[in-house]
Amino acid sequence: MLETLSAFITDYGYLNLFILSFLASTVLPFGSEALVIALVYQGFSPFTVVMVATTGNFLGACTTYYLGLKGRHVLEKYLSPSPEKLEKSEQLFNKYGVYTLLFTWVPGIGDVITMVAGLMQLPFRSFSILVFLGKFGRYLVIAYSIVLLNGGF
């Protein structure tokens, strides 16, 4: 069983990572960190792992942002965010501004932050830069922590 899983990771690692990272950036209860760690342990290029995970996660966030642009009724129909999380995210935006987007990687509230950014019709350019940087930073820390813990491979 372990051999089969290892082969699956090796054969389709980057594709699996992209899909999982994309889905993890919606309100679906997925996480991509374990696969990032597994791929780095398997000897995949840490930089490529970071870029694939960041790109998938960023594009998932863009999808959630787009649904937010379409309005609250679309969000409720497709993503069903809790009113409490939406309200908390709106409060964060009102208090800290657009830089809240740097924290869209935070589990539980990050996906709602991207929804609120769409609802508030924040400019896509600002959204893109800050969300990409935040997600890139998170994956960079995860991947290179594994590299450092293993003596630099």
Side-chain angles (χ1 to χ4, degrees), residues 9-146:
I9 289 173
T10 302
D11 294 345
Y12 302 103
Y14 292 126
L15 177 61
N16 290 335
L17 180 60
F18 179 84
I19 292 168
L20 188 60
S21 297
F22 180 90
L23 293 174
S25 192
T26 64
V27 294
L28 298 174
F30 292 117
S32 54
E33 295 82 3
L35 187 53
V36 167
I37 292 167
L39 291 176
V40 172
Y41 270 125
Q42 288 283 327
F44 282 70
S45 162
F47 181 75
T48 305
V49 166
V50 168
M51 292 309 297
V52 168
T54 300
T55 302
N57 211 246
F58 170 72
L59 292 174
C62 290
T63 303
T64 304
Y65 169 85
Y66 176 76
L67 293 173
L69 281 176
K70 293 299 175 185
R72 208 173 278 268
H73 66 284
V74 173
L75 283 177
E76 290 169 356
K77 181 177 180 180
Y78 292 106
L79 300 177
S80 304
S82 74
E84 297 82 23
K85 284 186 180 179
L86 279 174
E87 185 177 324
K88 186 173 182 176
S89 293
E90 287 172 346
Q91 289 172 355
L92 285 171
F93 266 107
N94 290 331
K95 186 173 183 178
Y96 299 108
V98 72
Y99 295 103
T100 306
L101 292 169
L102 288 169
F103 300 97
T104 58
W105 58 267
V106 175
I109 192 145
D111 301 328
V112 183
I113 291 172
T114 61
M115 288 179 208
V116 172
L119 284 171
M120 297 177 80
Q121 299 186 355
L122 291 174
F124 186 71
R125 182 177 182 185
S126 299
F127 171 87
S128 296
I129 292 168
L130 293 170
V131 169
F132 190 88
L133 287 174
K135 291 177 181 294
F136 176 78
R138 173 188 72 176
Y139 286 119
L140 188 69
V141 167
I142 292 169
Y144 283 96
S145 292
I146 299 305

